[in-house]
Amino acid sequence: MLVEVAGGTDKIGSMTNSPCTTLPRIIDDLAEQGWSVLPQFIPQTLTLQLAKECRDRAKKGALNPAGVGRGNQQQVLEGVRGDHIQWLEPGQSSVTDEFLDRLEALRCELNQSLYLGLEDFEGHFALYPPGSFYKRHVDRFRDDDRRTVTAVLYLNPDWQDEDGGALRLYLDGDKPLDVLPEAGTLVVFMSADLHHEVLLTQRERLSLTGWFRRRSDVLL
Ligand code: OGA
Ligand code: MN
């Protein structure tokens, strides 16, 4: 459901989604337009458990300011991105393992249907404190072309327009599209092409963000 809003930007609100139609829809959307937005990708109970896990990790001090760039070129630049992250590893918790299992099913489906040759997934929890943002960027690094499909799952119940923090997608030849980071919504898009940003958030904003990667064409 696309809702026309003032200021020349489209916005996606909430709608329901049956689990058996989820994967085919992602495949069709990615093939046709290079991006997809799916409300209620996973059951709300799992989303809320993941949100609690993220907050618990933040309280323990396990999240760190995210860097910009790759390897030893990486720098923390709060004027570019202000989120705090922790990378996911298998076996960290049953809820993150359940999430990784679901993404593994999506990876297989993307490979079978779209021949993307995705080999693995790397992802992290992200917490944007009030007042933070992530300026416009693309996700694929200049010196590493492995990131192929970006996937972001939001963990924030009852997100309101006035909370800010929308993901703004700069769609080719079209108006930008703002997606609210509402709990359960999954956004996927092609990592190399789609410019996007996280608008200033007024409220703590939690997500799981990651990338399906293929084998590199570049000699590293
Ligand atoms: C990122 C990013 C989008 C979001 O981490 O690269 O663009 O909505 N995140 O959190
Ligand atoms: Mn990004």
Side-chain angles (χ1 to χ4, degrees):
M1 187 202 326
L2 296 183
V3 186
E4 192 80 16
V5 289
T9 309
D10 282 333
K11 183 159 58 79
I12 292 197
S14 60
M15 56 184 158
T16 51
N17 203 37
S18 138
C20 16
T21 58
T22 302
L23 293 187
R25 217 182 101 207
I26 298 179
I27 304 296
D28 289 351
D29 284 352
L30 273 185
E32 282 162 24
Q33 59 191 21
W35 58 274
S36 185
V37 177
L38 282 127
Q40 294 168 36
F41 173 65
I42 57 173
Q44 194 72 353
T45 45
L46 179 57
T47 305
L48 298 179
Q49 286 168 329
L50 288 165
K52 181 175 182 311
E53 177 73 18
C54 183
R55 281 192 305 268
D56 287 350
R57 291 183 187 204
K59 262 185 234 144
K60 279 195 305 209
L63 274 56
N64 293 304
V68 177
R70 205 175 76 83
N72 52 18
Q73 303 291 314
Q74 214 182 46
Q75 295 175 58
V76 173
L77 296 172
E78 279 171 11
V80 178
R81 72 182 289 191
D83 55 331
H84 291 63
I85 67 168
Q86 188 190 28
W87 290 95
L88 297 179
E89 301 290 344
Q92 281 174 337
S93 71
S94 57
V95 283
T96 46
D97 282 353
E98 163 92 37
F99 172 71
L100 290 173
D101 285 349
R102 286 172 187 259
L103 285 193
E104 179 59 14
L106 177 56
R107 186 183 71 83
C108 295
E109 186 65 38
L110 290 171
N111 282 345
Q112 272 170 24
S113 305
L114 300 177
Y115 310 105
L116 289 176
L118 305 172
E119 290 195 316
D120 66 7
F121 175 81
E122 59 169 6
H124 56 63
F125 276 115
L127 183 155
Y128 287 76
S132 62
F133 51 82
Y134 192 163
K135 293 277 196 209
R136 179 172 171 158
H137 64 281
V138 285
D139 285 346
R140 182 176 282 182
F141 298 113
R142 253 168 275 162
D143 60 347
D144 179 346
D145 65 353
R146 285 176 299 167
R147 287 181 171 182
T148 303
V149 177
T150 302
V152 190
L153 176 73
Y154 298 110
L155 306 176
N156 314 288
D158 304 318
W159 197 269
Q160 305 294 320
D161 281 352
E162 54 272 25
D163 295 329
L167 170 67
R168 177 163 289 175
L169 301 175
Y170 292 94
L171 305 178
D172 251 2
D174 215 334
K175 281 181 287 188
L177 178 74
D178 285 356
V179 181
L180 296 186
E182 175 63 29
T185 297
L186 181 80
V187 180
V188 292
F189 55 86
M190 301 309 289
S191 308
D193 309 321
L194 210 155
H195 286 248
H196 57 282
E197 71 176 305
V198 177
L199 302 180
L200 178 78
T201 185
Q202 307 292 343
R203 191 182 135 185
E204 183 174 87
R205 176 192 194 272
L206 309 180
S207 63
L208 278 159
T209 301
W211 299 272
F212 294 106
R213 301 186 303 185
R214 59 170 199 195
R215 191 171 312 136
S216 179
D217 287 339
V218 176
L219 290 174
L220 296 173

